[in-house]
Amino acid sequence: MSNNDYIVQGFNKLLPVMSHFVTKSLKDHFGPDWWQIAVIDTFKDSQKRDLPTSGPEDDLVSRLDIARVLLLLDLHWKDVFSNMTSFEPPGLTRDCRSWAIELYKLRNRSAHVGLKDFSKRDTQRAIDTMIRLCECFSTPVAEELGRIYDEVEGLSASEPRTTDVQTSEIVQQSFTSDPVPVMRQHESGAPVNIDVIDLVDSFEGCIVRKDLTKKIKEGANVPIFVLEYLLGMYCSSDDEDEINEGLETVKDKLSRLYIRPDEAERVKSNIREAGEGYAIIDKVSVTLDFKKDIYVASFLSLGLINVPISRDMVVMNPRLLSGGIWCIITFDYSYIGDEKVLNPFKITRLSPIQMPFVDVDHYVDQRQAFTKDQWIGLMLRSTGIEPNSIDQRTRMLLLARMMALVENNINICELGPRSTGKSHVYKEISPSSILVSGGQATVASLFFNLSTRTPGLVCNWDVVAFDEVAEIKFKDKDAITIMKDYMASGSFARGGEQLEGKASMVFVGNINESIKTLLLQASLFKPFPVGMNEDTAFLDRFHCYIPGWEIEPFSPSTFTDDYGFICDYFAEIARELRKKQFSEVIDRYFRLDSSLKQRDVTSIKKVTSAMMKLIYPDGRVDKEGVREILEFAMEMRSRVKEQLKRIQPDGEFEDARFIYHDLETGEAREVLVPECVSLSLQQGIE
């Protein structure tokens, strides 16, 4: 029996159960006309080919094959099935939609498998997905699918798969063996190839070819997230003619509608003279004037304030109330001399050119359509980096730069050579991130201004990144103390009040010496200003130290010409992902060593959670996937601890060993820091 035969056999088991559940649910929701509404009116022509438009219900249901049943679950998920989900079977779970989409695509592949059979691994995954889906509807059928899985695996009845009881016994074994040393090395990554059609189908209107951004950005001083939104609207295609036509449309809109602040008065005059129907591109923010019970808009480049805006426009675009969004705005102008309290500028139409809202559930659901390497590649291409030009280790390090976008209150340090794009992510990718250039910073600007009683950057931004750390200067004596307080707890005391912020803190800068020299003479924190670079209480608050010296300076080949997410789309997704937590994923398979301090455990869990959001936002990850992320997180924190030992060699930081234990096998592994191991080996040789 071929592997495809096993898959077909599995679908045959799944069809009756799925068909009964899906059709009954549709009938309950839509009533007697469910077939016409949910099937005939919903399917495309190619999908409803050969389906009757009416007839006895049993006959209609019998004409649905497994592909159509899975498709119906997906198409009606939001209006029918999402309201039926629970956290655990029996019954639908939130994962069911992802499994159905995966199986739908698999069914199409299976129908055209030809001479090339499925691999054993793909077959096992397919049957396993069927089992997971079927467990939500029928345990007996899920058990039948389990026997098919065992046939593929080659297990006999006398060699059953490990049960929970057996696993529990292994967990209770004592961890007495010496830890196995682990150190991640640079290895070439698998080539990343993503089908453009699949990408467009999964994220229609949310992707853009990154070389197009570069082409237009060079000649247009417009925010990158505005530019990429327009490109996503008009250039999301793999057809060159359509792309070229879309480029001309984008250029035309920018040349006609985008205004610079120094053109504001001329544009106001143009609006007045036109009288009606004059359109511009500008950033619009809205506040509620509660004294008059109206919404009023302000415009960044045009300089207008207190322009009345309709309630419907605000309700349809809630981000107008949260810092504002870029829009195409159409004005009328009507001045009535006797009614001076009214603003003569009237907003007649408002079309957002940033994402007015994002569906994070859809984003999460689509993760299963891509392999791990493809998804990491998509993340990197979204920042403008071509994954096929770098190795696997560098991919992970560049991905780690994005952790601050998806995780609240994570503290990151990256020092390395010039021209490696250390500040790029924090400057260009997200409008919710601010890059503070090297220079004098104040407590008032960062935390709280006592004079104006207004919160500072950490309360208003998702990420506060300090560029050129060697140039940081605090004129306030208590600045470092407040900084330590905030980095440790996410809160700080100022003016007799306790305030909180969600902003992650990032410190980036250049290293001008060799790593060996730094390790021998001082520490990897030496580039920080004098005082800060030896303040162990401050440095111990870093959750992660990214080894920027391992990243090669960027060359033209480092930048991608392939497709990635529109920056604004990913930035909004990242903001939504900050609400999720994945730190508990470690506890599924591993236990951290008891020698680790609480700050170490917190750091490891924060980095793990952030990397999970970037690589496995749906939480579906196997043991080896968790192991890879855990070892990466432990190394990033261990690097901080190794430097603290060098700065303060009195034994305070000596006890912790970055060891974790496998709950299933009892094996212990110790994660090592590459540059420290390399230095020890060199000293041993010398």
Side-chain angles (χ1 to χ4, degrees), residues 375-645:
W375 190 257
I376 291 175
L378 180 57
M379 292 291 102
L380 294 176
R381 284 172 179 159
S382 298
T383 68
I385 302 299
E386 177 50 53
N388 290 331
S389 69
I390 53 180
D391 58 42
Q392 189 68 30
R393 166 78 170 178
T394 306
R395 292 177 191 177
M396 289 291 284
L397 296 177
L398 292 178
L399 194 66
R401 291 175 173 173
M402 303 166 70
M403 292 192 297
L405 300 178
V406 299
E407 187 75 14
N408 290 328
N409 300 111
I410 189 171
N411 307 318
I412 299 173
C413 169
E414 180 183 354
L415 304 178
R418 293 173 176 78
S419 302
T420 57
K422 292 185 291 296
S423 61
H424 171 73
V425 167
Y426 315 113
K427 183 179 180 181
E428 296 286 355
I429 300 305
S430 172
S432 301
S433 171
I434 185 169
L435 184 68
V436 180
S437 298
Q440 197 168 79
T442 66
V443 171
S445 64
L446 286 175
F447 298 103
F448 189 78
N449 190 315
L450 291 175
S451 300
T452 61
R453 308 300 294 177
T454 54
L457 299 178
V458 299
C459 300
N460 294 311
W461 296 83
D462 288 346
V463 182
V464 177
F466 293 88
D467 196 10
E468 304 295 345
V469 296
E471 304 299 324
I472 294 176
K473 296 177 183 177
F474 292 104
K475 68 176 184 180
D476 308 88
K477 294 181 179 179
D478 58 348
I480 294 295
T481 302
I482 296 176
M483 178 80 78
K484 292 176 189 176
D485 190 13
Y486 178 77
M487 291 174 70
S489 63
S491 63
F492 58 94
R494 182 72 169 157
E497 296 186 32
Q498 191 74 15
L499 297 137
E500 294 186 355
K502 298 293 186 182
S504 293
M505 305 290 279
V506 180
F507 295 79
V508 297
N510 298 322
I511 288 181
N512 300 315
E513 304 171 70
S514 72
I515 300 304
K516 181 180 177 181
T517 300
L518 283 179
L519 290 174
L520 288 173
Q521 297 179 358
S523 79
L524 295 176
F525 287 114
K526 184 183 176 182
F528 276 82
V530 175
M532 290 179 72
N533 61 9
E534 293 185 348
D535 187 338
T536 56
F538 166 70
L539 301 175
D540 195 22
R541 283 156 168 77
F542 280 112
H543 301 119
C544 169
Y545 190 137
I546 300 172
W549 54 88
E550 293 189 30
I551 300 171
E552 294 291 331
F554 288 173
S555 65
S557 64
T558 308
F559 302 101
T560 189
D561 292 334
D562 215 318
Y563 289 82
F565 288 129
I566 294 170
C567 284
D568 189 55
Y569 172 75
F570 180 74
E572 287 306 304
I573 289 292
R575 296 200 77 188
E576 291 298 315
L577 290 176
R578 293 172 81 88
K579 301 173 185 177
K580 294 178 175 286
Q581 278 299 321
F582 287 108
S583 55
E584 78 289 344
V585 73
I586 297 172
D587 302 328
R588 295 181 195 173
Y589 306 106
F590 308 109
R591 176 176 67 82
L592 297 177
D593 194 75
S594 58
S595 68
L596 293 170
K597 307 299 182 186
Q598 183 57 45
R599 228 169 237 167
D600 300 321
V601 173
T602 299
S603 299
I604 292 167
K605 288 190 172 183
K606 269 193 171 290
V607 175
T608 298
S609 178
M611 294 300 284
M612 279 289 299
K613 293 176 191 180
L614 292 169
I615 304 175
Y616 304 102
D618 56 356
R620 293 186 62 185
V621 56
D622 60 18
K623 180 178 179 180
E624 291 310 307
V626 175
R627 187 194 301 278
E628 180 184 27
I629 290 176
L630 173 59
E631 291 180 355
F632 182 83
M634 294 182 78
E635 181 202 322
M636 296 300 112
R637 172 59 184 177
S638 181
R639 181 169 290 105
V640 174
K641 216 59 181 283
E642 288 293 331
Q643 305 320 303
L644 295 176
K645 292 178 187 178

Side-chain angles (χ1 to χ4, degrees), residues 161-190:
R161 283 172 287 174
T162 303
T163 64
D164 291 340
V165 174
Q166 291 169 321
T167 303
S168 177
E169 291 172 352
I170 294 173
V171 168
Q172 295 172 14
Q173 294 176 358
S174 60
F175 303 105
T176 56
S177 57
D178 291 333
V180 176
V182 177
M183 185 173 66
R184 294 283 175 180
Q185 300 290 343
H186 285 265
E187 300 174 356
S188 2

